[in-house]
Amino acid sequence: MIPLGSCTMKLNATSEMIPVGWEEFSNIHPYAPYDQTAGYKILINDLEVKLSKITGYSAISLQPNAGSQGEYAGLLAIDAFHRSNGDQQRKICLIPESAHGTNPASAQMAGMKVVPISCDKKGNIDLEDLSEKASQHSNELAAIMITYPSTHGVFETTVTDVCKIIHDHGGKVYIDGANLNAMVGLCKPGEFGGDVSHLNLHKTFCIPHGGGGPGVGPIGVVKDLAPHLPSDPLKYEPPSKNVGPVSATNFGSASILPISWMYIQMMGASGLRKATQVAILSANYIAQKLSPHFKILYTGKNGLIAHECIIDIRPLKELCGVEVDDIAKRLIDFGFHAPTMSFPVPGTLMIEPTESESLAELDRFIEAMICIRHEITQVEDGTYSIEESPLRNAPHCAEKVISDDWQQKYSRSVAAYPVDLKGRNKYWPPIGRVDNVYGDKNLMCSCPSMSDYQEES
Amino acid sequence: MIPLGSCTMKLNATSEMIPVGWEEFSNIHPYAPYDQTAGYKILINDLEVKLSKITGYSAISLQPNAGSQGEYAGLLAIDAFHRSNGDQQRKICLIPESAHGTNPASAQMAGMKVVPISCDKKGNIDLEDLSEKASQHSNELAAIMITYPSTHGVFETTVTDVCKIIHDHGGKVYIDGANLNAMVGLCKPGEFGGDVSHLNLHKTFCIPHGGGGPGVGPIGVVKDLAPHLPSDPLKYEPPSKNVGPVSATNFGSASILPISWMYIQMMGASGLRKATQVAILSANYIAQKLSPHFKILYTGKNGLIAHECIIDIRPLKELCGVEVDDIAKRLIDFGFHAPTMSFPVPGTLMIEPTESESLAELDRFIEAMICIRHEITQVEDGTYSIEESPLRNAPHCAEKVISDDWQQKYSRSVAAYPVDLKGRNKYWPPIGRVDNVYGDKNLMCSCPSMSDYQEES
Amino acid sequence: MENFDSFALRHIGLSQTDIDLLLDQLGYKDLEEFSKSVLPKNIFIKEKLGLSDAMSEEEALKVLKEISKENVVYRSFIGQGYYGTVTPKVILRNVFENPGWYTSYTPYQAEISQGRLEALINFQTMVGDLTGFEIANASLLDEATAAAESMTLAHRVGKSKSQRFFIDQNCFPQTISVVTARAKPIGIEVMVGDPKQLTDLKEETYFGALLQYPGNDGAVIDFSQEIVSMHAQNGLVIMATDLLALTLLKSPGEMGADIAIGSSQRFGVPLGFGGPHAAFMATKEKYKRSLPGRLVGASIDEDGRTAYRLALQTREQHIRREKATSNICTAQALLAIMAGFYAAYHGPAGLKQIAQSVRSKATALAKGINELGYDLKSSSFFDTVTIHTESETQEIFSTAQDQLMNLRILDANHISISMDETTTDQEIENITKLFKDLSKKRKGCFKLRAANRYHKII
Amino acid sequence: MENFDSFALRHIGLSQTDIDLLLDQLGYKDLEEFSKSVLPKNIFIKEKLGLSDAMSEEEALKVLKEISKENVVYRSFIGQGYYGTVTPKVILRNVFENPGWYTSYTPYQAEISQGRLEALINFQTMVGDLTGFEIANASLLDEATAAAESMTLAHRVGKSKSQRFFIDQNCFPQTISVVTARAKPIGIEVMVGDPKQLTDLKEETYFGALLQYPGNDGAVIDFSQEIVSMHAQNGLVIMATDLLALTLLKSPGEMGADIAIGSSQRFGVPLGFGGPHAAFMATKEKYKRSLPGRLVGASIDEDGRTAYRLALQTREQHIRREKATSNICTAQALLAIMAGFYAAYHGPAGLKQIAQSVRSKATALAKGINELGYDLKSSSFFDTVTIHTESETQEIFSTAQDQLMNLRILDANHISISMDETTTDQEIENITKLFKDLSKKRKGCFKLRAANRYHKII
Ligand SMILES: Cc1ncc(COP(=O)(O)O)c(C=O)c1O
Ligand SMILES: Cc1ncc(COP(=O)(O)O)c(C=O)c1O
């Protein structure tokens, strides 16, 4: 399990991946004459229709190559809309504090001015602050960028109010669709108040992460904004009023669209809906199981969370010095990838299981977290200091655990086999904890030269 | 490196493997009408021509599904030849002691009577014994089955004499082609005296081993025997004098023939020859490097070996009780697959590097073997007994090395990191030494039932 | 081709510098001199092999692609032991196309082969479960040779002194050919005939009998009677069978047979013009030590952990040598693993559903054709429908070919059509229509032979 | 489709029993009730999504295969930043088709991502070496956006107070479009023109200039002069370039440029109708902390072992937020890894040989066409030949299309033809013949404009 909140690691089924390699998709030049690419047009149109039905938006552009580019394209569309209405002064973009870093960065690039909105104690957008800022900037209000369900992992009940406030002041609502996987089949951003959203096909629609890309970040827009989608880069004439292109080719990373198409086609409406429900169910199961041990930072209606759950490490840090990093690295010893760290709230972990995890895997993760909590208690107890703890010394690579002068206060088996693996393979990290500060101070960003290798041997 | 003598683990290049999955090869029924399978016919004919040029035989049958089936088919061809000459009494098959077990087994199945031939002290066929047996059975002599280069890893200089003796007595020479990879481009069994050979395409011609199959064991025969190749199973009428089919379809495991075809096509004549030369060169390099430490059992002309090298563990066993198994299992701790054990000589290891190993890998293997030899010396020295040694306790799985009560006389790092891995990944066996006797006594050959799993958890 | 892309340079692990270094260490000038020192002079060839020049990887693939295109992929309804199947893509990519599975060696070194061994024991268990036997081996080369091996097994372990072996005439022809050919050199006399003969046997007539279930013509027959009477005269019964059919039918084990053999091809392994596929052999506990081929078993490691490994290795033929009764060594591990994974992928319920759907396709086809007035050879079948086509046989076959479909001419008067996992409703319709069009062409009324009209099948 | 093959059942990890168990634990009756408790009522949709029914894996693949067949694969000589390339099969199977590479997450957790990080630093090193810079990032989204990012980088780090940016008119049109569009909202004024203008500039005219090398029309021009004069007025120079060409040409770094950008597509990554491919950006050491995107660096672990990890993470935009100047987050790691492996697979000498062969193909083509009397736009090129086709432009283009070849209409009077690794001699012949046939059709004698006749090229 790679339980990355916000980053949604979906299963990448082989049948989804296979068509990417077909010559009819892989061997087409992006500027090949129109009549040679009819297959792509069918695929793209159909995928647009599918995404449009899922999101409730009336038009889709598949041009953006990543979520961040989608955000940028979406804001350009909003800006162009205002300009086309003669409202060139609308340049203020409200963004809640908890937003993903790409949101303000995109607003910046789109020439907007970012005004932050605060969150209340429950993690929800502070409606009062919002109303105030919206009124204050009523005439310059271009947009708000919110994430739904929120980056706090909650379906805010006030979302329609938020949208209404913005609309009342002439602004547009950008809903960051990175969390769309918690909405598919249950609600549609294009229907409950959003004017634009980008989707991360590399999250919700199964394009693999590839170790940091590729991605596809299409945007959906309501009717008003449809004329302002990105232009074809080969047809764009600079003095035009159109939004320019945001990427070099009209359909961005076209050759990986079959992945999302296959996923939707094979799941069907009811499969997609069920996937969403199960993802939320699993997240709530984890939250319930962990809540006696960790503080669940935010919950929504009925004490439930959406598809991800933030656990707060700050109180524990205060108690005994344990860092988010300690938990993340200790999880490696259990064979887990760490959850998302310190986003959206510093000092927290955000856990998202996705619908594809089995119950056994969920339980294994819960077991690991509880075991780690127990180790934290031992630090509190004084059994060992945080520096002496298996937490701070994690991950434990084999060479270290085996070394003949083991000097830790805990045993080697605690280090390497903190829980019974029940026959499962043990994962061994190839190195121990990385020293980031050292690396940033001595920045070395290319391979060691041949002579360095020679010296070594 | 998987240094398996006789079993030749060749590199399986991806380009060789890809065509196997092509629908035009994979989706053809074996009994599809002739005119639908023209592509297969071209492939098969061309591969037959290629193999024929490589081996010097005038006809090839690709029907046998494995080397053993090839042996059987080859002996049937010899038998049919004798019968067609009215020599139905020719049923004696001479087989040297060092032969692979499939040889006598195949002879048995072909209705022949096996008469063993002894080897001299240098491991070569004892020409005297051979002449004697050949004369003695002159009238009943059907064939001899030899392996070339011999299973002792030597190019016997007397091979042409052996063939001549057999031919003089009216017998045919079966040359087991499992070692053909030491001959390709340098000599041809069909030219220097062989009448039939099977080839293991899954050794010499890069079909992967698949964990114990599939294989392809075609036979090549001289002109005399060509009429006696296996029949098409759909055309065989039992009362006929023809050799029957040896497998269910006329071209056996047809869909993996592209692998060997690709290999030959991409190597070309000079590439193939060079591969053979480099394989022999690497084997001799290993032999030279190991000879100060281990006894190289047999060498040929100029003290050189062929493509594999047998090292004798028996003297060491006598000295200190070390078993072949101990070395094989200890090699796992170094990240190596064991060489072939106790074949053809009990108490020995047979090492074959193949041409694809890099020099670094050869050296790494040599280093491991020398390090093991040193550990054996420590047993001789009395540093520890064989039972206490890292040899007998190998392989060391992680759980064992890490366990809190390490009680061995050697250190944990000696157990798990006997040599510096220089950044290479450490391979960890999932289990320790298997108890074969226990398993054979309590034979359990199906998966544990569900209830067993339940009990465990 | 340009030498920067020479495959040989990549395939051969030593660079020219390395080669020179090694030659130097061994005291030779060059590879030629070295080779001549290794090989006897009188066998050293003088000329280069007359092969075509080396091609780059891309070139060779291009040429082979052209060759492959000379094959024409028709839809196959031939059956006869080879059926269309869907390889689950996850198995395709992660097993069939994965060097981690395909490159590895026979798992003699159990400690580093637990995954492979577990996959093989999964295959054995699956075969055992479906055939109704306690024990199955880790694959044989193909169904026909498995049949031949089972004959010698029966010969070996049976108590009969007879040298005669009976073969059901309703076995696949390739099986009959291979078994017959295998019997000859070892002095076994083979009789091919109707299994009904078996119900009335004298003492020790046959040491064994091979029956096929479902038969070559698709018929599913209960052989309980024949088995009882074979046993009565000390003979053993081998059933050649189909794993998919067995998810629905009474198993050979339940029926009282002694050995079951067959192919696991249709469990996700492509047709491949005949192979490779994994054949299986299953039998009773008491014969386990006589089973040919490899057998994976569970044992324990030194610390008592469950550990899989090849069982009874001392029994392997390289030790038994001339006392060996089978020469099988390399088998079909990779394909057995795929078939085992196919079963695990679908699970027992999934396999059964596939079988049911295959059976209903056959039923639908049979019904459609039967209603046109064609009689069926048997009304009890699993996937294969055999039709009395008499004088029309050749015409039906050819018409189907024109539509890129391969039917099977069973004999001059019969056509067989096999359904499988990949058959679509459209195809059933197309075949039925083909018969319909022909029957319209036939003047006169339909001959409805009531006796053989389609009725309930198993 | 039959539900035993339902993809959703496989994709969703919990069985119905598991779901019921979890619901029970949380105190809900069923998934519907549960969902309604999670979501605000007023946004909960009433109707099912109007999507087509679920298809099985096989069915969906079949439908998509049909769709894909509507694309027609012509041989492409279009170039314009996208070139035919051979993905080494070993990279195809073991990287591109291997979930171990494609599924994994951004390597924030360095301790479990050393392989991926090493592969990315390999990419960075390769880019740095070829462009002649000390530092390169771990990929950007495409060449055009990389150009846009480099503009803002120059804006940020440069000392000029100018808000004007110069773009070489001989940049790819898509690059000009994207950079221009990106400049607008942030108040940068863009000038597109002939770089010759740059040799005579007033103070602080442009804070930066983007030059393309080789150019859109294929011309290879030495920009040393322009660079000197840009620097003289405090401006920075960005060169959009081609990695394969750089194995033969003077690098941007050597020429004195400040930043290089481009695409690594032709290093083994298929065309894919435009993407995904990894773009790159390389620059001088001193700008390293301003480089957009991810940067892999070497550090050490607690025991002093070399350890790779994403460098300068505190610089990442999720920390800088509204102070950020680039929003790039997800990049093109997998494709960068493939391109880096492609370079490692061929090695420096191999890459150079590929480049030489591409260049000699272009030379051969240019010579052939030129000898027919067609003038070349530039005689100094790497892979792309631009021909004065004037009134014949459209006809040549269409005739090529008839032969399943895509040439490029550069403008009304010019055709460009790009050679690549996959171009064969036969194809060069075919193209030449096409021009020959046309020139024969033209009545009258050839106009031989001596000035522009083919002569020595770089
Ligand atoms: C909430 C949110 N918004 C936007 C993004 C940006 O998407 P991308 O990484 O594809 O640019 C992400 C993911 O990183 C995200 O989690
Ligand atoms: C010398 C020799 N002969 C024959 C064989 C039998 O080949 P196969 O395993 O393909 O049946 C082998 C390999 O196992 C062998 O090494």
Side-chain angles (χ1 to χ4, degrees), chain B residues 12 15 26 28 36 39-40 68 99 106 160 186 210-211 233 255 273 301 329 355-356 400 432 435 440 444 447, chain C residues 11 13 32 36 39 42 45 57 71 79 102-104 109 111 125 177 272-273 275 298-299 301-302 309 321 327 406:
Chain B
N12 312 126
S15 291
S26 68
I28 303 282
Q36 293 166 25
Y40 261 118
S68 61
S106 299
T160 46
L186 298 179
S255 68
R273 180 185 171 95
K301 198 178 145 193
K329 304 305 177 192
E355 67 277 9
S356 298
K400 183 156 121 185
D435 186 338
D440 285 349
M444 230 269 289
C447 303
Chain C
H11 176 84
E32 287 309 308
K36 285 190 176 136
L39 270 77
N42 60 352
I45 59 172
E57 302 190 31
N71 290 330
Y102 64 65
T103 284
S104 38
Q109 300 293 335
E111 293 82 358
T125 308
S177 289
F273 197 46
S299 184
D301 79 352
E302 42 175 1
R309 92 283 179 246
R321 303 182 61 88
N327 66 346
N406 288 329

Side-chain angles (χ1 to χ4, degrees), chain A residues 6 66-68 71 100 102 176 178 198 200 202-203, chain D residues 329-330:
Chain A
S6 197
S68 60
E71 294 172 21
H100 192 262
T102 50
D176 183 322
H198 78 266
N200 298 64
H202 47 301
K203 296 178 179 176
Chain D
C329 180
T330 288

Side-chain angles (χ1 to χ4, degrees), chain A residues 1-10 149-151 153 178-183 202-204 209 275-276 278-280 282-284 286-287 290 305-311 337-340 343 349-357 362 365:
Chain A
M1 176 153 77
I2 314 185
L4 287 165
S6 197
C7 285
T8 311
M9 296 292 294
K10 285 250 185 177
S150 74
T151 54
N179 290 345
L180 184 70
N181 57 314
M183 298 196 276
H202 47 301
K203 296 178 179 176
T204 308
H209 281 253
T276 308
V278 170
I280 299 176
S282 295
N284 277 284
I286 290 182
L290 293 185
I305 56 166
H307 63 301
E308 57 195 12
C309 135
I310 301 180
I311 62 175
H337 193 289
T340 300
F343 171 80
L349 287 170
M350 182 157 61
I351 300 159
E352 174 180 351
T354 86
E355 68 276 8
S356 297
E357 302 302 341
L362 298 176
F365 179 74

